[in-house]
C-alpha cells in the first residue's frame, strides 16, 4: 500500500486505486428475482449482526480519508431497512462522500424518493428487466405497477440521471431490449444492460439464459444509431459515476446505453471497487471469495489507525480478476448476500 506521511491510499497489489464502495445495508428483499434469490429462501443475516449506522458511517469516513470517493447503497433491497434516508445524510455530511447513489427495485421508492433526495442521494440505479406485467411477475413474483410508480415519482422528484438496470436474458426478455431503450429515450433515463453471472445456484441456473451483449449491441445498432463515447465509457463524476459500464449514446438524444459484460468482455483491469456486506464483511471481488471481516474489529473498539491498517490488509487481498468463465461453480453465495 502507498503511504504518504500519515496518509494511506487504498491501492491494490495491481496498482488499481480503490475509490468506490458498494455498501449493502440489508440482505433482505421484497422481490424474488429467479436469478438472484431462491424462492422460499429464509437464511438471512440476523439483524444483531448488521452493521449499525454508526459503524457504517465510521468505516466509510475512514475509507474516505484514504481516497474513497463514491458510495452506492445496495441490498438486497436497501429500502427494506428503516431510515436509509438518514444513513444517506450521515454518509454525505458526516463521512464526506460527494457521490452517493442507491440501487433499488423501486417497489418502495414512491414513498421514499423525496426523503432520499433530501438526504443527499444523487443518483438512482433501478432494476427493471421487463415492461410487461405478467413477465415481471414471472421473473420477480412482484407487481410492475408499484415499480413504475416508484420510477416516475423519482423522476418527478428530480433524480437525474436515473439508470435502468436490465439483466438481459435469452428466452426471457431478449425480445424487448429495444422497447426498453425506447422507454428510456422517452423518459430521459440511462439504460444499462447486464450479462447474467454464475453467483450461487440461482445465478448458475440463469446462465442457461446467458446472452452475449456484444451480439445484442449489433442487433440494437440495426434499430438505433449508437454513437461511441470518446473511450467507450463515461466518467462524468457526479453524473455517471465510476462503474464498469461501457457506454454509447443514442443519436439525436441525450440517452446513453451502457453494456456491463463480466463474461464476454471482462473489465477487471480497471476495477476500482469493493463491497461491504450488511454483516461487515469486506469483499474484494464479486467473483472471488477473498474477504476481510470488519464487524468484530469495530465492536472491539479499535482506533482509527488500526482500522486503516485492517483496510490496507483487506485491499491487499484483492485478486487480479474473477474466474466466472473458468470456474463457474466457485461462488456459492447469492448476489443478495454480497450486495449489488
Amino acid at each position: 500500500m502507498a503511504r504518504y506521511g500519515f496518509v494511506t491510499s487504498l491501492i491494490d497489489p495491481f496498482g488499481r486505486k480503490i475509490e468506490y464502495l458498494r455498501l449493502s445495508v440489508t440482505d433482505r428483499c421484497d422481490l424474488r428475482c429467479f436469478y438472484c434469490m431462491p424462492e422460499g429462501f429464509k437464511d438471512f443475516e440476523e439483524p444483531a449482526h448488521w452493521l449499525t449506522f454508526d459503524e457504517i458511517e465510521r468505516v466509510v469516513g475512514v475509507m474516505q480519508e484514504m481516497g474513497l470517493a463514491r458510495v452506492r447503497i445496495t441490498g438486497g433491497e436497501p429500502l427494506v431497512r428503516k431510515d436509509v434516508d438518514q444513513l444517506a445524510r450521515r454518509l454525505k455530511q458526516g463521512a464526506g462522500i460527494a457521490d452517493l447513489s442507491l440501487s433499488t427495485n423501486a417497489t418502495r421508492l414512491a414513498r421514499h424518493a423525496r426523503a432520499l433526495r433530501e438526504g443527499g442521494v444523487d443518483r438512482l440505479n433501478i432494476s427493471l428487466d421487463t415492461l410487461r406485467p405478467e413477465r415481471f411477475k414471472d421473473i420477480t413474483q412482484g407487481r410492475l405497477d408499484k415499480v413504475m410508480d416508484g420510477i416516475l415519482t423519482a423522476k418527478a422528484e428530480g433524480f437525474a440521471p436515473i439508470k435502468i438496470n436490465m439483466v438481459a436474458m435469452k428466452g426471457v426478455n431478449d425480445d424487448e431490449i429495444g422497447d426498453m431503450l425506447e422507454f428510456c429515450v422517452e423518459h430521459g433515463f440511462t439504460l444499462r444492460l447486464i450479462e447474467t453471472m454464475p453467483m450461487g445456484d440461482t445465478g448458475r441456473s440463469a446462465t442457461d439464459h446467458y446472452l452475449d451483449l456484444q451480439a445484442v449491441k449489433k442487433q440494437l445498432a440495426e434499430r438505433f444509431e449508437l454513437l461511441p463515447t470518446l473511450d467507450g465509457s463515461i466518467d462524468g463524476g457526479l453524473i455517471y459515476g465510476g462503474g464498469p459500464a461501457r457506454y454509447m449514446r443514442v443519436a439525436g438524444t441525450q440517452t446513453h446505453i451502457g453494456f456491463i459484460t463480466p463474461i464476454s468482455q471482462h473489465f477487471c483491469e480497471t476495477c476500482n471497487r469493493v463491497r461491504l456486506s450488511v454483516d461487515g464483511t469486506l469483499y474484494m471481488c464479486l467473483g472471488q471469495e477473498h474477504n476481510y471481516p470488519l464487524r468484530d474489529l469495530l465492536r472491539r473498539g479499535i482506533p482509527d489507525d488500526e482500522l486503516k491498517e485492517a483496510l490496507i490488509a483487506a485491499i491487499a487481498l484483492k485478486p487480479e480478476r474473477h474466474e466466472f468463465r473458468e470456474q463457474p461453480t466457485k461462488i456459492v453465495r447469492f448476489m443478495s448476500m454480497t450486495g449489488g
Side-chain angles (χ1 to χ4, degrees):
M1 298 306 98
R3 293 177 176 273
Y4 306 95
F6 294 105
V7 180
T8 55
S9 297
L10 296 176
I11 300 175
D12 76 7
F14 304 95
R16 297 170 297 196
K17 184 179 180 181
I18 308 305
E19 58 180 9
Y20 190 177
L21 178 69
R22 308 281 179 89
L23 170 66
S24 175
V25 296
T26 180
D27 58 347
R28 304 183 185 212
C29 189
D30 51 359
L31 295 181
R32 286 293 182 275
C33 299
F34 72 84
Y35 54 80
C36 182
M37 189 186 300
E39 184 176 357
F41 178 79
K42 295 181 179 179
D43 191 21
F44 298 109
E45 194 65 57
E46 291 295 326
H49 297 163
W50 295 358
L51 289 189
T52 66
F53 285 1
D54 285 343
E55 291 166 337
I56 291 171
E57 182 182 355
R58 185 179 177 213
V59 171
V60 172
V62 168
M63 292 184 73
Q64 190 272 342
E65 293 176 9
M66 303 171 75
L68 186 70
R70 297 180 171 103
V71 172
R72 185 195 297 179
I73 301 171
T74 71
E77 168 48 45
L79 298 183
V80 168
R81 187 161 178 179
K82 186 179 179 182
D83 297 328
V84 169
D85 59 296
Q86 295 180 26
L87 174 64
R89 191 181 305 275
R90 294 176 67 168
L91 295 179
K92 195 83 169 187
Q93 299 178 2
I97 296 300
D99 182 6
L100 183 64
S101 58
L102 180 138
S103 291
T104 177
N105 61 30
T107 58
R108 301 170 185 235
L109 187 55
R111 63 180 182 268
H112 291 292
R114 177 164 298 177
L116 291 169
R117 183 79 170 147
E118 292 174 350
V121 175
D122 300 297
R123 296 174 288 106
L124 295 174
N125 287 28
I126 298 174
S127 299
L128 182 63
D129 295 331
T130 177
L131 297 169
R132 302 178 186 179
E134 288 304 314
R135 181 175 286 179
F136 185 86
K137 185 176 181 180
D138 288 342
I139 294 172
T140 71
Q141 299 184 32
R143 286 172 43 190
L144 179 61
D145 61 323
K146 293 175 65 177
V147 171
M148 296 303 294
D149 188 27
I151 292 173
L152 297 180
T153 299
K155 178 184 176 182
E157 289 294 338
F159 283 101
I162 291 175
K163 299 179 185 178
I164 301 298
N165 287 353
M166 181 182 192
V167 178
M169 294 172 282
K170 182 175 62 177
V172 176
N173 62 359
D174 53 336
D175 58 341
E176 58 176 315
I177 294 175
D179 294 340
M180 187 68 80
L181 184 52
E182 290 277 12
F183 170 76
C184 290
V185 169
E186 177 186 353
H187 290 282
F189 301 154
T190 295
L191 177 61
R192 305 201 316 167
L193 300 178
I194 306 171
E195 292 178 342
T196 58
M197 290 174 278
M199 294 285 294
D201 291 339
T202 51
R204 279 186 283 279
S205 67
T207 57
D208 293 340
H209 302 291
Y210 170 73
L211 193 60
D212 186 331
L213 290 186
Q214 308 307 317
V216 171
K217 187 186 299 184
K218 293 178 181 178
Q219 293 171 0
L220 286 174
E222 297 175 1
R223 179 171 170 181
F224 304 88
E225 183 182 358
L226 300 180
L227 305 176
T229 57
L230 285 177
D231 60 358
S233 65
I234 293 177
D235 184 12
L238 298 182
I239 299 177
Y240 286 97
R246 296 178 172 93
Y247 287 93
M248 304 186 79
R249 182 171 62 84
V250 180
T253 77
Q254 293 303 310
T255 296
H256 288 85
I257 178 170
F259 300 87
I260 300 179
T261 55
I263 307 299
S264 66
Q265 188 180 14
H266 75 77
F267 35 80
C268 300
E269 67 278 0
T270 60
C271 184
N272 62 348
R273 56 208 161 273
V274 292
R275 290 169 169 82
L276 184 64
S277 69
V278 67
D279 70 351
T281 302
L282 196 65
Y283 287 94
M284 306 318 133
C285 175
L286 192 60
Q288 298 281 9
E289 295 290 0
H290 303 71
N291 67 80
Y292 199 102
L294 295 175
R295 185 187 65 212
D296 289 348
L297 299 178
L298 295 168
R299 295 186 179 176
R300 209 160 62 223
I302 63 169
D304 283 359
D305 59 346
E306 291 186 25
L307 179 54
K308 288 183 179 181
E309 292 294 338
L311 290 166
I312 290 169
I315 299 304
L317 299 175
K318 189 169 174 65
E320 185 175 11
R321 61 182 299 268
H322 65 67
E323 297 175 312
F324 283 141
R325 276 192 181 275
E326 298 87 344
Q327 300 189 57
T329 62
K330 185 173 185 176
I331 304 301
V332 297
R333 65 185 188 273
F334 303 119
M335 180 71 82
S336 61
M337 299 169 66
T338 309

